[in-house]
Amino acid sequence: MIVVDSSVWIDYFNGVQTAQTDALDRLLATEPVALGDVNLIEVLQGFRREKDAERARDLLLGLDILPMLGTDNALIAASRYRLLRARGITVRKTNDVIIASYCLTYGHSLLFADRDFEPFVTAFGLRAALTE
C-alpha cells in the first residue's frame, strides 16, 4: 500500500506539477492508494471554497483512509521523535512524525514532498514511494 502525504495532495489539488504529483497520477490509475486521517484533515482544511472542499472530500473518501494515531502509534511515534532529536534532528511537525511512524510500523511506502520525512528514510528505513 502506498500512503500519499498531504504535501503531495495539496500540490495535486492546486494543479502544481511535480515529480510527486506525476507519480500520484500514475498511482491513482494502477495501485491501491491511501491517506491517513491526519492527512485528510490537513488537505481539507486548506480549501477556501466549500465546493472545492466537497469535491476533494468525495475523491479522497474513495481511497483507503487509515486511522494513524491511536495509543500504540502515539507511543512509537514519540519514541522515534526522541531518537531523532538525540541525533540532533528535530522534525518540525508532529503530524509528520505520526504519519512516518504509522508507515514504518505497518510497512507502507510513503509518497511525500516534505523534507521532514527524510530523517525517517535514512534513520529508520521508511520507504519513499518515489524512489521505488
Side-chain angles (χ1 to χ4, degrees):
M1 172 92 47
I2 297 175
V3 175
V4 181
D5 181 56
S6 54
S7 57
V8 177
W9 284 112
I10 290 167
D11 284 346
Y12 185 80
F13 286 123
N14 285 325
V16 177
Q17 187 173 5
T18 65
Q20 292 85 358
T21 58
D22 289 345
L24 178 55
D25 263 336
R26 288 189 303 276
L27 290 170
L28 287 170
T30 61
E31 301 280 335
V33 173
L35 73 155
D37 49 5
V38 293
N39 298 117
L40 184 63
I41 294 167
E42 289 178 324
V43 173
L44 293 179
Q45 72 187 8
F47 286 94
R48 295 188 188 276
R49 294 179 22 192
E50 192 61 29
K51 183 177 180 180
D52 295 335
E54 289 172 6
R55 277 196 303 240
R57 182 194 63 216
D58 291 345
L59 171 76
L60 295 173
L61 290 179
L63 306 173
D64 288 324
I65 307 295
L66 307 171
M68 290 194 158
L69 193 50
T71 303
D72 290 341
N73 198 44
L75 294 171
I76 293 167
S79 176
R80 286 181 175 134
Y81 178 87
R82 288 191 313 275
L83 285 169
L84 288 174
R85 190 178 58 200
R87 295 178 185 181
I89 301 165
T90 302
V91 179
R92 297 173 296 157
K93 294 177 262 177
T94 299
N95 278 354
D96 291 346
V97 178
I98 294 166
I99 294 159
S101 188
Y102 183 91
C103 290
L104 283 162
T105 298
Y106 291 96
H108 300 310
S109 297
L110 181 64
L111 180 61
F112 60 90
D114 185 330
R115 65 184 165 97
D116 278 332
F117 291 110
E118 291 298 334
F120 292 93
V121 172
T122 56
F124 302 114
L126 174 65
R127 293 189 333 237
L130 195 56
T131 61
E132 295 182 343

